[in-house]
Amino acid sequence: MLVETFEVSCFVPSRLDGRALEAVVGLAGRGAQAGAAVVYIHPYPPLGGQLRNNVALELAARLDRRVTVSVTFNLRGAGRSEGRTSWTGASEQEDLRSILDMLAAARLPLHPRFHSSADCKSLLAQMRARGFLLPDANIDQLDAVPLPQVTHTLLCGYSYGAMLAASVASADYPQLKIDYALVSYPCSVLWALALQRRGWYLQRLAATVCDAAAAYAVALATNSVPAHVPRMLFVAGTADNFTSIAAYDRWWIQLHAKAIQTLQTLQPPVASDVADRAVSHVLAIARITNADHGWLRRESEVADAVVSWWTPLQSMP
């Protein structure tokens, strides 16, 4: 089925300091999964990470026509975005949250230093002509580009971007119902990317897994349906240049054990089989044989893993 799309290349302000972030926002019309959104977060800027990386481009080719909204953007210090890369990723977290704020508000704020009011009206007129804006919308009264309401969001982070994606708690944006696809999570080199905040990033990720597993376990035990249980997919190459597959396996075993331990502290206690089902529901792992950190000519296998795993896509024909 042919899906009509509309792409907006723009600059949006970071909520941290108003710095301009280069972004590409894609909209898909009838035929896409209503309410679904995907956000791509790229690798470390000082090592060449930017929005047009091979993994993000392959994922976008597979996902962008299947979701209502897609956002690819450059963190500060990358591409044409303003600012400089921080030492701990704290500023970049705010850049990512700026994008999530935008989705939550269903509103794309164009940076005033890069886009005039005439630019905004011209863009709105194009959207209306293409059917991405209601025909009777008064563009003279709009101060930002309206976006579709988002009800399911996938954060696709690659390397440094995976570190940032997992730092956002799904509970901070309940209306977006966030899930996580973390490609080549740099667990063995977090010390180089985040310095003294390494432990914080690992704790935040573990908390997301443990809280989600607890919510799902309670739902299983009580035969109830939770509003949303965040799920997390790790995609890793067995020949990763920065984190060996042995190191990944040790970490995943520890993460699984920590989640099980959390469930054992619940009152009333959670049965062991229920605990295993809950953690397995939340935590998924895709090991790609002989793929390294760069994924050259292996990008399609990353996309296969993500597309087959993310639940909101499974209801589509």
Side-chain angles (χ1 to χ4, degrees):
M1 179 179 182
L2 183 63
V3 177
E4 181 78 9
T5 61
F6 189 87
E7 188 174 276
V8 181
S9 296
C10 59
F11 290 88
V12 299
S14 172
R15 75 179 201 173
L16 176 66
D17 51 15
R19 296 287 177 88
L21 305 175
E22 181 183 10
V24 179
V25 180
L27 305 176
R30 185 175 302 171
Q33 180 64 45
V38 60
V39 179
Y40 306 101
I41 311 101
H42 63 72
Y44 195 50
L47 296 181
Q50 47 89 27
L51 63 84
R52 294 174 182 85
N53 66 81
N54 59 318
V55 171
L57 289 173
E58 180 66 25
L59 285 166
R62 297 281 294 279
L63 290 172
D64 284 5
R65 290 181 181 272
R66 304 182 70 176
V67 298
T68 306
V69 186
S70 62
V71 183
T72 308
F73 73 106
N74 272 327
L75 297 162
R76 61 186 57 229
R80 295 192 293 165
S81 290
E82 295 181 326
R84 301 171 65 179
T85 302
S86 71
W87 291 104
T88 64
S91 299
E92 288 79 0
Q93 287 177 47
E94 293 302 302
D95 293 345
L96 173 55
R97 287 178 177 275
S98 302
I99 301 300
L100 297 177
D101 289 348
M102 177 183 83
L103 294 179
R107 180 177 180 273
L108 170 58
L110 300 177
H111 201 294
R113 284 196 287 106
F114 290 81
H115 305 281
S116 66
S117 58
D119 293 336
C120 184
K121 290 180 181 178
S122 175
L123 175 59
L124 290 167
Q126 294 176 49
M127 292 177 63
R128 185 168 61 184
R130 294 277 299 278
F132 287 91
L133 201 61
L134 293 176
D136 58 351
N138 188 343
I139 61 178
D140 292 325
Q141 295 181 357
L142 295 174
D143 61 352
V145 177
L147 297 175
Q149 290 289 335
V150 171
T151 56
H152 291 87
T153 306
L154 179 63
L155 296 186
C156 281
Y158 171 26
S159 190
Y160 180 71
M163 179 191 86
L164 296 174
S167 74
V168 176
S170 180
D172 293 344
Y173 295 92
Q175 70 274 49
L176 297 182
K177 297 180 181 176
I178 293 174
D179 294 313
Y180 308 83
L182 308 179
V183 181
S184 298
Y185 189 94
C187 63
S188 291
V189 292
L190 282 182
W191 60 270
L193 302 175
L195 298 182
Q196 72 275 14
R197 285 174 61 84
R198 171 187 178 276
W200 182 89
Y201 282 102
L202 293 175
Q203 290 169 11
R204 174 55 67 91
L205 185 153
T208 295
V209 172
C210 291
D211 292 347
Y216 194 70
V218 170
L220 288 175
T222 59
N223 293 316
S224 59
V225 179
H228 173 64
V229 173
R231 300 175 68 223
M232 187 174 290
L233 169 69
F234 289 99
V235 183
T238 61
D240 191 281
N241 314 69
F242 299 103
T243 304
S244 69
I245 195 61
Y248 272 130
D249 282 334
R250 286 194 299 270
W251 180 47
W252 291 327
I253 289 171
Q254 292 168 2
L255 192 57
H256 187 279
K258 185 176 181 63
I260 293 292
Q261 185 179 28
T262 298
L263 299 186
Q264 291 173 341
T265 66
L266 295 178
Q267 293 297 329
V270 175
S272 59
D273 61 326
V274 173
D276 283 334
R277 285 179 60 193
V279 176
S280 296
H281 174 81
V282 170
L283 187 60
I285 296 166
R287 299 172 179 83
I288 310 298
T289 303
N290 294 330
D292 62 21
H293 199 82
W295 295 101
L296 293 177
R297 294 181 293 278
R298 307 295 297 275
E299 301 89 347
S300 63
E301 295 171 75
V302 176
D304 287 343
V306 173
V307 170
S308 64
W309 164 83
W310 195 37
T311 305
L313 296 181
Q314 307 316 314
S315 60
M316 296 183 65

